[in-house]
Amino acid sequence: MDLKKFEYWFIVGSQDLYGDAALKQVAEHARIMADEFNKDSLISGTVVLKPTAITPYAIRGLFEEANASEKCAGIITWMHTFSPSKMWIQGLAMNRKPLLHLHTQFNRNIPWAAIDMDFMNLNQSAHGDREHGHIHARMRLPRKVVAGFWQDREVRRRMGVWMRAAAARLDGMNTAVLRLGDNMREVAVTEGDKVEAQIKFGWQVNTWGIGDLTAHLSKVSDGQAEELAKNYAVSYELAPDLAKPGKARSAMLEQAKIEIALKEMLFEEHAGAFTTTFQDLHGLSQLPGLAAQRLMEQGYGFGAEGDWKQSMLTRCAKVMASGLAGGVSFMEDYTYHFEPGKEAALGAHMLEICPSISQGKPRIEVHPLGIGAKADPARMVFDAAPGPAVLATLIDLGGRFRMIVNEIETVKIEDAMPKLPVARALWKPYPNLGEAAEAWILAGGTHHSVYTSALTDEYFRDWAEMSGIEFVFIGRGTKPDRLRDELRWNEAYWMDR
Ligand code: MN
């Protein structure tokens, strides 16, 4: 996805006490900054400079305009001078866009020899932004504060992270998740309040019958499947029995048909994500394995067993990670390795892991699947690339959503696993396997998550903040007992939010 289509309105505050010459300089500095931001690849979207904000009516007007804009994904404010913040109350009160408070100043250094009172008046964000931040705090507004010199890489990186999170939020408001069937019978953690999800995230969470998919599937020709299989042969390695006609190749071609049919449905319903469940596959000969992997690779969110929350979160992460190195996949904690000093978790799913996280060229294979009572499905098999990654999950606690993120280090799989033909990742979670698992379980985290080597916790933190939901982080400094307290304190804060 091209994130440049998302606009971030840069609203620079001042007041009319300083005279036209000073206001002209404010506007000129803001223009230079906006231009420089737009040249930097760390700035994912398009920064759009708005007229300097100096009256309550103009400020309210800007926020009204932003709310109505389909392109505006967020608002960046910065007070070049002092800008009394009671002027901002009406605008901020109605604002529905994510807010970034950039605390910076145009000049890097104090011009020691030349500085006079005029310079001080013009370049006083050090106190103007404190007045501005006060009204945000007083109004309990969700926001990100980024402080530092505007040309510094770290400042721009943090702005870029927030922009990507805001792009995912706006994308979510225009995206449906297509549920094929309900969630897996008796499972608690894949349940959730679909109405609340739409209120909080804008997600449209609706269900279609599996018959809708099989109706599309029946219209896909053998020729279309063969055509798509040509792409498979270019992008992936094919197991030897898949290259020639026979049962295995037919199984792969069936997945190609499912991919085509699913993609048609996703397009028709304006859906950016989907779910399947192995308990509702009437009319399909295989569980969508390769098809789900392929669609994830193309940017769609996916959740197995009807897990629409992780499906949409996968979609969010795909949008946030657009153009970045690394991948994003639906994931599941499967089994542990408890060998002292080498403790690790093995993540996989029955089939549906996205090849964007693969270390090498994935290989398409066909094997029996012991669950779902269907034909042997085609799937891509690979190991996830080693390196830093995070796991993120979204749960419904009844009354509110909670996001949990765990920092992990994916490691090389040293031993062959010839009898396990699925895509998999082996990781060491922080602070360590035992404490990370204790913390995750105390927080109520699901076995399903979004795995990404392209993003850090900061992206999810920003997204949770702008979505108005609880965020729980498990990382290097986490102590489970302390986290237990934090979770209990959070109960009070998040009550009725
Ligand atoms: Mn699962």
Side-chain angles (χ1 to χ4, degrees):
M1 184 179 286
D2 178 13
L3 298 183
K4 281 289 171 198
K5 70 178 179 184
F6 294 100
E7 292 183 359
Y8 301 84
W9 290 14
F10 189 29
I11 304 183
V12 178
S14 187
Q15 59 182 341
D16 58 7
L17 288 183
Y18 307 112
D20 283 350
L23 285 174
K24 228 176 192 170
Q25 265 195 293
V26 168
E28 177 59 7
H29 290 167
R31 189 193 59 77
I32 292 167
M33 288 166 71
D35 288 350
E36 291 296 317
F37 287 147
N38 284 325
K39 284 181 203 153
D40 192 331
S41 62
L42 285 170
I43 302 293
S44 63
T46 303
V47 175
V48 177
L49 178 64
K50 292 291 161 181
T52 308
I54 55 171
T55 71
Y57 312 104
I59 293 169
R60 191 179 65 195
L62 282 171
F63 282 100
E64 277 170 350
E65 207 187 314
N67 282 343
S69 165
E70 281 176 20
K71 290 180 183 167
C72 178
I75 289 175
I76 302 168
T77 59
W78 167 53
M79 304 304 110
H80 191 309
T81 66
F82 199 73
S83 180
S85 65
K86 280 162 71 178
M87 297 196 305
W88 290 75
I89 291 173
Q90 283 194 7
L92 289 168
M94 69 173 60
N95 178 38
R96 292 196 308 271
K97 302 288 178 172
L99 187 62
L100 175 85
H101 181 187
L102 176 62
H103 179 46
T104 189
Q105 69 185 17
F106 186 70
N107 55 300
R108 193 191 69 178
N109 295 356
I110 294 175
W112 303 107
I115 188 167
D116 58 9
M117 280 312 293
D118 284 347
F119 183 93
M120 290 252 283
N121 273 334
L122 186 64
N123 299 284
Q124 56 178 323
S125 33
H127 81 260
D129 273 329
R130 282 179 161 74
E131 166 77 0
H132 193 60
H134 168 76
I135 204 65
H136 295 165
R138 167 75 193 263
M139 294 174 75
R140 275 81 172 164
L141 298 178
R143 79 263 194 216
K144 183 174 192 174
V145 182
V146 176
F149 185 51
W150 63 281
Q151 290 181 4
D152 285 353
R153 198 178 157 75
E154 179 61 8
V155 165
R156 297 200 180 171
R157 188 196 63 75
R158 294 189 62 217
M159 288 171 68
V161 168
W162 171 87
M163 286 177 165
R164 286 171 177 275
R169 179 158 173 80
L170 186 55
D171 174 77
M173 297 204 171
N174 296 310
T175 302
V177 52
L178 189 143
R179 302 169 69 229
L180 287 166
D182 205 341
N183 65 320
M184 182 180 162
R185 285 189 282 278
E186 308 291 1
V187 176
V189 84
T190 53
E191 290 281 4
D193 186 334
K194 302 193 279 291
V195 176
E196 193 60 23
Q198 189 156 2
I199 293 170
K200 276 277 180 303
F201 312 122
W203 299 347
Q204 301 165 55
V205 187
N206 290 310
T207 304
W208 280 260
I210 194 73
D212 295 321
L213 177 62
T214 54
H216 277 83
L217 188 59
S218 67
K219 291 181 197 138
V220 181
S221 70
D222 293 345
Q224 283 174 283
E226 287 287 358
E227 201 57 36
L228 187 55
K230 283 184 194 163
N231 293 349
Y232 293 175
V234 173
S235 305
Y236 321 110
E237 193 187 322
L238 264 52
D241 53 345
L242 268 67
K244 54 180 192 292
K247 204 175 147 196
R249 185 169 174 86
S250 299
M252 179 180 73
L253 292 171
E254 188 60 27
Q255 289 283 342
K257 286 186 178 179
I258 298 172
E259 178 186 334
I260 293 165
L262 258 168
K263 202 170 169 178
E264 274 176 19
M265 270 190 88
L266 290 162
F267 180 78
E268 282 170 15
E269 306 300 344
H270 302 283
F274 68 105
T275 67
T276 58
T277 170
F278 64 88
Q279 287 171 332
D280 191 352
L281 296 174
H282 310 287
L284 290 188
S285 57
Q286 301 172 31
L287 176 70
L290 176 60
Q293 293 178 296
R294 283 271 308 164
L295 288 165
M296 263 190 279
E297 193 179 20
Q298 291 164 57
Y300 292 98
F302 171 77
E305 290 111 38
D307 194 339
W308 53 268
K309 296 191 300 300
Q310 300 344 305
S311 179
M312 275 307 286
L313 194 57
T314 305
R315 166 70 180 191
C316 279
K318 293 266 180 199
V319 173
M320 290 194 279
S322 295
L324 298 179
V328 173
S329 179
F330 175 73
M331 186 55 75
E332 180 168 272
D333 291 85
Y334 242 103
T335 198
Y336 291 139
H337 187 68
F338 277 130
E339 183 186 348
K342 289 189 171 180
E343 294 88 347
L346 185 68
H349 204 260
M350 288 189 291
L351 307 170
E352 313 94 329
I353 299 295
C354 178
S356 64
I357 68 167
S358 174
Q359 182 171 28
K361 205 172 190 182
R363 179 180 155 107
I364 304 180
E365 302 180 19
V366 175
H367 300 278
L369 184 67
I371 202 161
K374 291 281 171 179
D376 301 355
R379 82 289 304 268
M380 282 185 244
V381 180
F382 56 84
D383 290 349
V390 294
L391 296 170
T393 194
L394 187 64
I395 58 168
D396 185 338
L397 287 169
R400 74 172 191 276
F401 291 107
R402 168 182 286 163
M403 173 175 278
I404 308 162
V405 171
N406 188 191
E407 265 185 299
I408 61 170
E409 185 75 27
T410 299
V411 295
K412 190 174 173 354
I413 300 176
E414 302 286 354
D415 298 276
M417 294 184 281
K419 294 181 179 173
L420 188 73
V422 293
R424 57 277 175 120
L426 185 71
W427 64 77
K428 293 171 173 287
Y430 288 107
N432 55 65
L433 180 63
E435 286 184 310
E438 283 178 27
W440 187 277
I441 286 169
L442 282 169
T446 159
H447 54 287
H448 285 167
S449 59
V450 178
Y451 170 106
T452 174
S453 52
L455 307 170
T456 60
D457 57 285
E458 189 179 354
Y459 293 82
F460 293 99
R461 198 184 286 276
D462 287 357
W463 185 86
E465 173 77 9
M466 60 184 67
S467 301
I469 63 159
E470 183 186 4
F471 181 84
V472 175
F473 177 64
I474 302 166
R476 287 167 169 82
T478 297
K479 294 278 172 246
D481 285 339
R482 178 73 181 180
L483 188 86
R484 185 204 303 266
D485 291 338
E486 184 189 315
L487 295 170
R488 287 177 175 160
W489 301 329
N490 284 0
E491 291 288 336
Y493 178 83
W494 289 104
M495 198 171 286
D496 295 326
R497 267 173 211 269

Short mmCIF file of all heavy atoms in Angstrom, two decimals, residues 179 181-197 201 203 205 207 275 277 279 303-311 393-402 444-448:
data_model
loop_
_atom_site.label_atom_id
_atom_site.label_comp_id
_atom_site.label_asym_id
_atom_site.label_seq_id
_atom_site.Cartn_x
_atom_site.Cartn_y
_atom_site.Cartn_z
N ARG A 179 -16.04 -12.64 7.51
CA ARG A 179 -15.99 -13.87 8.31
C ARG A 179 -16.70 -14.98 7.54
O ARG A 179 -17.88 -14.86 7.24
CB ARG A 179 -16.69 -13.68 9.65
CG ARG A 179 -16.14 -12.58 10.50
CD ARG A 179 -17.06 -12.29 11.69
NE ARG A 179 -17.09 -13.38 12.66
CZ ARG A 179 -18.20 -13.92 13.15
NH1 ARG A 179 -19.38 -13.51 12.76
NH2 ARG A 179 -18.12 -14.89 14.04
N GLY A 181 -18.20 -18.13 8.12
CA GLY A 181 -18.62 -18.95 9.25
C GLY A 181 -18.30 -18.25 10.55
O GLY A 181 -17.73 -17.16 10.58
N ASP A 182 -18.68 -18.87 11.64
CA ASP A 182 -18.50 -18.30 12.98
C ASP A 182 -17.14 -18.72 13.52
O ASP A 182 -16.33 -19.30 12.80
CB ASP A 182 -19.64 -18.81 13.88
CG ASP A 182 -19.91 -17.86 15.04
OD1 ASP A 182 -19.02 -17.04 15.37
OD2 ASP A 182 -21.00 -17.95 15.63
N ASN A 183 -16.88 -18.40 14.78
CA ASN A 183 -15.61 -18.85 15.34
C ASN A 183 -15.73 -20.29 15.82
O ASN A 183 -16.83 -20.84 15.92
CB ASN A 183 -15.11 -17.92 16.45
CG ASN A 183 -16.01 -17.92 17.64
OD1 ASN A 183 -17.23 -17.95 17.50
ND2 ASN A 183 -15.45 -17.93 18.82
N MET A 184 -14.59 -20.90 16.08
CA MET A 184 -14.55 -22.32 16.46
C MET A 184 -15.41 -22.57 17.70
O MET A 184 -15.38 -21.79 18.65
CB MET A 184 -13.09 -22.70 16.75
CG MET A 184 -12.88 -24.14 17.11
SD MET A 184 -11.10 -24.39 17.41
CE MET A 184 -11.15 -25.92 18.33
N ARG A 185 -16.16 -23.65 17.64
CA ARG A 185 -17.07 -23.99 18.74
C ARG A 185 -16.32 -24.07 20.09
O ARG A 185 -15.21 -24.60 20.15
CB ARG A 185 -17.75 -25.34 18.47
CG ARG A 185 -18.85 -25.24 17.42
CD ARG A 185 -19.65 -26.53 17.34
NE ARG A 185 -18.98 -27.59 16.58
CZ ARG A 185 -18.98 -27.69 15.24
NH1 ARG A 185 -19.62 -26.80 14.50
NH2 ARG A 185 -18.35 -28.69 14.66
N GLU A 186 -16.94 -23.53 21.12
CA GLU A 186 -16.48 -23.61 22.52
C GLU A 186 -15.26 -22.74 22.84
O GLU A 186 -14.83 -22.68 23.98
CB GLU A 186 -16.18 -25.07 22.97
CG GLU A 186 -17.29 -26.08 22.72
CD GLU A 186 -18.50 -25.88 23.59
OE1 GLU A 186 -18.54 -24.94 24.41
OE2 GLU A 186 -19.45 -26.69 23.45
N VAL A 187 -14.67 -22.12 21.85
CA VAL A 187 -13.47 -21.31 22.12
C VAL A 187 -13.87 -19.93 22.64
O VAL A 187 -14.74 -19.28 22.07
CB VAL A 187 -12.59 -21.17 20.86
CG1 VAL A 187 -11.40 -20.25 21.12
CG2 VAL A 187 -12.12 -22.54 20.41
N ALA A 188 -13.24 -19.51 23.74
CA ALA A 188 -13.58 -18.22 24.35
C ALA A 188 -12.82 -17.05 23.73
O ALA A 188 -13.39 -16.00 23.45
CB ALA A 188 -13.28 -18.27 25.85
N VAL A 189 -11.53 -17.25 23.52
CA VAL A 189 -10.68 -16.10 23.23
C VAL A 189 -10.89 -15.53 21.82
O VAL A 189 -10.58 -14.38 21.56
CB VAL A 189 -9.20 -16.47 23.49
CG1 VAL A 189 -8.57 -17.19 22.31
CG2 VAL A 189 -8.39 -15.24 23.87
N THR A 190 -11.46 -16.35 20.92
CA THR A 190 -11.73 -15.82 19.58
C THR A 190 -13.10 -15.13 19.51
O THR A 190 -13.47 -14.59 18.48
CB THR A 190 -11.66 -16.93 18.51
OG1 THR A 190 -12.51 -18.01 18.91
CG2 THR A 190 -10.24 -17.44 18.33
N GLU A 191 -13.86 -15.15 20.61
CA GLU A 191 -15.12 -14.42 20.66
C GLU A 191 -14.82 -12.93 20.85
O GLU A 191 -13.69 -12.54 21.14
CB GLU A 191 -15.97 -14.90 21.86
CG GLU A 191 -16.54 -16.30 21.72
CD GLU A 191 -17.78 -16.36 20.82
OE1 GLU A 191 -18.16 -15.33 20.23
OE2 GLU A 191 -18.36 -17.46 20.70
N GLY A 192 -15.84 -12.13 20.74
CA GLY A 192 -15.63 -10.71 20.97
C GLY A 192 -16.86 -9.91 20.57
O GLY A 192 -17.74 -10.41 19.88
N ASP A 193 -16.88 -8.69 21.05
CA ASP A 193 -18.02 -7.80 20.82
C ASP A 193 -17.81 -7.06 19.48
O ASP A 193 -17.03 -6.13 19.38
CB ASP A 193 -18.10 -6.81 21.98
CG ASP A 193 -19.33 -5.92 21.91
OD1 ASP A 193 -19.84 -5.71 20.79
OD2 ASP A 193 -19.76 -5.43 22.96
N LYS A 194 -18.54 -7.51 18.47
CA LYS A 194 -18.35 -6.97 17.12
C LYS A 194 -18.87 -5.53 17.01
O LYS A 194 -18.35 -4.73 16.25
CB LYS A 194 -19.05 -7.87 16.09
CG LYS A 194 -18.54 -9.32 16.14
CD LYS A 194 -18.99 -10.14 14.95
CE LYS A 194 -20.40 -10.67 15.07
NZ LYS A 194 -20.57 -11.70 16.10
N VAL A 195 -19.89 -5.24 17.80
CA VAL A 195 -20.42 -3.87 17.79
C VAL A 195 -19.40 -2.91 18.41
O VAL A 195 -19.10 -1.85 17.87
CB VAL A 195 -21.76 -3.81 18.56
CG1 VAL A 195 -22.27 -2.37 18.64
CG2 VAL A 195 -22.79 -4.70 17.89
N GLU A 196 -18.82 -3.34 19.53
CA GLU A 196 -17.82 -2.50 20.20
C GLU A 196 -16.59 -2.31 19.30
O GLU A 196 -15.98 -1.23 19.30
CB GLU A 196 -17.42 -3.14 21.54
CG GLU A 196 -16.62 -2.24 22.47
CD GLU A 196 -17.34 -0.95 22.88
OE1 GLU A 196 -18.59 -0.93 22.84
OE2 GLU A 196 -16.66 0.02 23.23
N ALA A 197 -16.25 -3.34 18.55
CA ALA A 197 -15.10 -3.23 17.64
C ALA A 197 -15.35 -2.15 16.59
O ALA A 197 -14.45 -1.41 16.21
CB ALA A 197 -14.82 -4.57 16.97
N PHE A 201 -12.88 0.83 16.69
CA PHE A 201 -11.88 0.78 15.61
C PHE A 201 -12.46 1.13 14.23
O PHE A 201 -11.69 1.29 13.28
CB PHE A 201 -11.27 -0.63 15.52
CG PHE A 201 -10.82 -1.18 16.85
CD1 PHE A 201 -11.32 -2.38 17.34
CD2 PHE A 201 -9.90 -0.49 17.63
CE1 PHE A 201 -10.91 -2.89 18.56
CE2 PHE A 201 -9.48 -0.99 18.85
CZ PHE A 201 -9.99 -2.19 19.32
N TRP A 203 -14.11 -0.96 12.51
CA TRP A 203 -14.13 -2.19 11.71
C TRP A 203 -15.56 -2.69 11.49
O TRP A 203 -16.35 -2.74 12.43
CB TRP A 203 -13.36 -3.32 12.44
CG TRP A 203 -11.93 -3.05 12.68
CD1 TRP A 203 -11.16 -2.06 12.14
CD2 TRP A 203 -11.07 -3.78 13.57
NE1 TRP A 203 -9.88 -2.14 12.62
CE2 TRP A 203 -9.80 -3.19 13.51
CE3 TRP A 203 -11.26 -4.88 14.39
CZ2 TRP A 203 -8.71 -3.66 14.24
CZ3 TRP A 203 -10.19 -5.36 15.13
CH2 TRP A 203 -8.93 -4.75 15.05
N VAL A 205 -17.50 -5.87 11.06
CA VAL A 205 -17.26 -7.30 11.28
C VAL A 205 -18.55 -8.05 10.97
O VAL A 205 -19.49 -8.06 11.76
CB VAL A 205 -16.84 -7.56 12.75
CG1 VAL A 205 -16.42 -9.01 12.93
CG2 VAL A 205 -15.73 -6.62 13.18
N THR A 207 -20.58 -11.51 8.72
CA THR A 207 -20.42 -12.92 8.38
C THR A 207 -21.04 -13.27 7.03
O THR A 207 -22.10 -12.75 6.70
CB THR A 207 -21.09 -13.80 9.46
OG1 THR A 207 -20.53 -13.47 10.72
CG2 THR A 207 -20.86 -15.27 9.20
N THR A 275 -11.68 -14.43 7.74
CA THR A 275 -11.44 -15.56 8.64
C THR A 275 -12.03 -16.81 7.99
O THR A 275 -12.93 -16.73 7.17
CB THR A 275 -12.12 -15.39 10.01
OG1 THR A 275 -13.55 -15.42 9.84
CG2 THR A 275 -11.73 -14.08 10.68
N THR A 277 -12.90 -21.15 9.22
CA THR A 277 -12.88 -22.10 10.32
C THR A 277 -12.98 -23.51 9.78
O THR A 277 -13.77 -23.77 8.87
CB THR A 277 -14.00 -21.83 11.35
OG1 THR A 277 -14.05 -22.94 12.25
CG2 THR A 277 -15.36 -21.67 10.70
N GLN A 279 -14.25 -25.93 10.99
CA GLN A 279 -15.51 -26.61 11.31
C GLN A 279 -16.63 -26.24 10.33
O GLN A 279 -17.75 -26.71 10.46
CB GLN A 279 -15.94 -26.25 12.75
CG GLN A 279 -15.10 -26.94 13.79
CD GLN A 279 -15.35 -26.44 15.19
OE1 GLN A 279 -15.74 -25.29 15.39
NE2 GLN A 279 -15.12 -27.30 16.17
N GLY A 303 -7.36 -14.52 10.01
CA GLY A 303 -7.48 -15.14 11.33
C GLY A 303 -8.08 -16.52 11.16
O GLY A 303 -9.08 -16.68 10.46
N ALA A 304 -7.46 -17.52 11.78
CA ALA A 304 -7.99 -18.88 11.70
C ALA A 304 -9.05 -19.09 12.78
O ALA A 304 -9.15 -18.32 13.72
CB ALA A 304 -6.85 -19.89 11.88
N GLU A 305 -9.83 -20.15 12.62
CA GLU A 305 -10.87 -20.50 13.59
C GLU A 305 -11.80 -19.33 13.89
O GLU A 305 -12.28 -19.17 15.01
CB GLU A 305 -10.24 -21.02 14.90
CG GLU A 305 -9.58 -22.38 14.75
CD GLU A 305 -8.05 -22.29 14.86
OE1 GLU A 305 -7.57 -21.51 15.68
OE2 GLU A 305 -7.37 -23.00 14.10
N GLY A 306 -12.02 -18.50 12.88
CA GLY A 306 -12.96 -17.40 13.05
C GLY A 306 -12.43 -16.25 13.88
O GLY A 306 -13.19 -15.40 14.34
N ASP A 307 -11.12 -16.18 14.07
CA ASP A 307 -10.54 -15.14 14.92
C ASP A 307 -10.46 -13.79 14.17
O ASP A 307 -9.43 -13.42 13.62
CB ASP A 307 -9.16 -15.56 15.41
CG ASP A 307 -8.66 -14.70 16.56
OD1 ASP A 307 -9.15 -13.56 16.71
OD2 ASP A 307 -7.77 -15.15 17.30
N TRP A 308 -11.57 -13.07 14.18
CA TRP A 308 -11.64 -11.82 13.41
C TRP A 308 -10.81 -10.71 14.04
O TRP A 308 -10.36 -9.80 13.34
CB TRP A 308 -13.09 -11.37 13.21
CG TRP A 308 -13.90 -11.26 14.48
CD1 TRP A 308 -14.68 -12.22 15.05
CD2 TRP A 308 -13.99 -10.11 15.35
NE1 TRP A 308 -15.26 -11.76 16.21
CE2 TRP A 308 -14.86 -10.46 16.41
CE3 TRP A 308 -13.45 -8.83 15.34
CZ2 TRP A 308 -15.18 -9.58 17.44
CZ3 TRP A 308 -13.76 -7.96 16.36
CH2 TRP A 308 -14.61 -8.32 17.39
N LYS A 309 -10.59 -10.77 15.35
CA LYS A 309 -9.79 -9.71 15.99
C LYS A 309 -8.34 -9.78 15.50
O LYS A 309 -7.75 -8.77 15.12
CB LYS A 309 -9.84 -9.83 17.52
CG LYS A 309 -11.24 -9.62 18.10
CD LYS A 309 -11.26 -9.48 19.60
CE LYS A 309 -10.72 -10.67 20.37
NZ LYS A 309 -11.46 -11.93 20.13
N GLN A 310 -7.76 -10.98 15.49
CA GLN A 310 -6.37 -11.10 15.01
C GLN A 310 -6.30 -10.90 13.50
O GLN A 310 -5.29 -10.46 12.97
CB GLN A 310 -5.74 -12.44 15.38
CG GLN A 310 -5.65 -12.81 16.85
CD GLN A 310 -5.83 -11.70 17.87
OE1 GLN A 310 -5.15 -10.68 17.85
NE2 GLN A 310 -6.77 -11.89 18.76
N SER A 311 -7.40 -11.24 12.80
CA SER A 311 -7.40 -11.02 11.36
C SER A 311 -7.29 -9.53 11.05
O SER A 311 -6.47 -9.10 10.24
CB SER A 311 -8.69 -11.59 10.74
OG SER A 311 -8.71 -11.35 9.36
N THR A 393 -1.41 -9.06 20.26
CA THR A 393 -2.73 -9.68 20.24
C THR A 393 -3.76 -8.72 20.80
O THR A 393 -3.43 -7.78 21.52
CB THR A 393 -2.74 -11.01 21.01
OG1 THR A 393 -3.93 -11.73 20.69
CG2 THR A 393 -2.68 -10.80 22.51
N LEU A 394 -4.99 -8.97 20.42
CA LEU A 394 -6.10 -8.13 20.86
C LEU A 394 -7.14 -9.04 21.48
O LEU A 394 -7.56 -10.01 20.86
CB LEU A 394 -6.68 -7.42 19.62
CG LEU A 394 -7.75 -6.36 19.84
CD1 LEU A 394 -7.19 -5.19 20.64
CD2 LEU A 394 -8.27 -5.87 18.49
N ILE A 395 -7.51 -8.75 22.72
CA ILE A 395 -8.52 -9.58 23.38
C ILE A 395 -9.69 -8.73 23.86
O ILE A 395 -9.56 -7.52 24.03
CB ILE A 395 -7.93 -10.36 24.59
CG1 ILE A 395 -7.32 -9.40 25.63
CG2 ILE A 395 -6.90 -11.37 24.11
CD1 ILE A 395 -6.99 -10.07 26.96
N ASP A 396 -10.81 -9.39 24.04
CA ASP A 396 -12.01 -8.72 24.55
C ASP A 396 -12.22 -9.22 25.98
O ASP A 396 -12.46 -10.41 26.19
CB ASP A 396 -13.21 -9.07 23.67
CG ASP A 396 -14.46 -8.31 24.08
OD1 ASP A 396 -14.52 -7.85 25.25
OD2 ASP A 396 -15.37 -8.17 23.25
N LEU A 397 -12.12 -8.29 26.94
CA LEU A 397 -12.24 -8.68 28.35
C LEU A 397 -13.68 -8.61 28.83
O LEU A 397 -13.96 -8.80 30.00
CB LEU A 397 -11.37 -7.77 29.21
CG LEU A 397 -9.87 -8.02 29.11
CD1 LEU A 397 -9.10 -6.90 29.80
CD2 LEU A 397 -9.49 -9.36 29.73
N GLY A 398 -14.60 -8.31 27.92
CA GLY A 398 -15.98 -8.09 28.34
C GLY A 398 -16.06 -6.68 28.89
O GLY A 398 -15.69 -6.44 30.04
N GLY A 399 -16.50 -5.74 28.06
CA GLY A 399 -16.53 -4.35 28.49
C GLY A 399 -15.41 -3.53 27.91
O GLY A 399 -15.50 -2.32 27.83
N ARG A 400 -14.33 -4.17 27.52
CA ARG A 400 -13.27 -3.42 26.85
C ARG A 400 -12.28 -4.35 26.14
O ARG A 400 -12.22 -5.54 26.42
CB ARG A 400 -12.51 -2.55 27.84
CG ARG A 400 -11.57 -3.31 28.77
CD ARG A 400 -10.73 -2.31 29.56
NE ARG A 400 -9.64 -2.91 30.28
CZ ARG A 400 -9.74 -3.48 31.47
NH1 ARG A 400 -10.91 -3.55 32.06
NH2 ARG A 400 -8.67 -3.96 32.07
N PHE A 401 -11.52 -3.73 25.22
CA PHE A 401 -10.46 -4.46 24.53
C PHE A 401 -9.13 -4.18 25.22
O PHE A 401 -8.91 -3.10 25.77
CB PHE A 401 -10.35 -4.01 23.07
CG PHE A 401 -11.53 -4.43 22.23
CD1 PHE A 401 -12.47 -3.49 21.82
CD2 PHE A 401 -11.70 -5.74 21.85
CE1 PHE A 401 -13.56 -3.86 21.04
CE2 PHE A 401 -12.78 -6.13 21.08
CZ PHE A 401 -13.71 -5.19 20.67
N ARG A 402 -8.25 -5.17 25.16
CA ARG A 402 -6.88 -5.00 25.65
C ARG A 402 -5.93 -5.48 24.57
O ARG A 402 -6.15 -6.55 23.98
CB ARG A 402 -6.68 -5.84 26.92
CG ARG A 402 -5.21 -5.97 27.35
CD ARG A 402 -5.06 -6.85 28.60
NE ARG A 402 -5.50 -6.15 29.80
CZ ARG A 402 -5.79 -6.76 30.96
NH1 ARG A 402 -5.71 -8.07 31.06
NH2 ARG A 402 -6.17 -6.06 32.01
N GLY A 444 -4.15 -12.39 30.09
CA GLY A 444 -5.27 -13.00 29.36
C GLY A 444 -5.04 -13.14 27.87
O GLY A 444 -5.99 -13.25 27.10
N GLY A 445 -3.78 -13.10 27.47
CA GLY A 445 -3.45 -13.15 26.03
C GLY A 445 -3.84 -14.46 25.38
O GLY A 445 -3.71 -15.53 25.98
N THR A 446 -4.28 -14.36 24.14
CA THR A 446 -4.71 -15.54 23.38
C THR A 446 -3.52 -16.32 22.83
O THR A 446 -2.40 -15.82 22.79
CB THR A 446 -5.63 -15.10 22.22
OG1 THR A 446 -5.65 -16.11 21.23
CG2 THR A 446 -5.14 -13.82 21.58
N HIS A 447 -3.80 -17.53 22.37
CA HIS A 447 -2.77 -18.31 21.67
C HIS A 447 -2.56 -17.79 20.26
O HIS A 447 -1.56 -18.10 19.63
CB HIS A 447 -3.18 -19.79 21.64
CG HIS A 447 -4.55 -20.03 21.07
ND1 HIS A 447 -5.70 -19.72 21.77
CD2 HIS A 447 -4.96 -20.50 19.88
CE1 HIS A 447 -6.76 -20.02 21.01
NE2 HIS A 447 -6.33 -20.48 19.86
N HIS A 448 -3.51 -17.01 19.75
CA HIS A 448 -3.35 -16.40 18.42
C HIS A 448 -2.74 -15.01 18.55
O HIS A 448 -3.04 -14.29 19.50
CB HIS A 448 -4.71 -16.23 17.73
CG HIS A 448 -5.28 -17.52 17.20
ND1 HIS A 448 -6.58 -17.62 16.79
CD2 HIS A 448 -4.73 -18.73 17.01
CE1 HIS A 448 -6.81 -18.85 16.36
NE2 HIS A 448 -5.71 -19.56 16.48
#
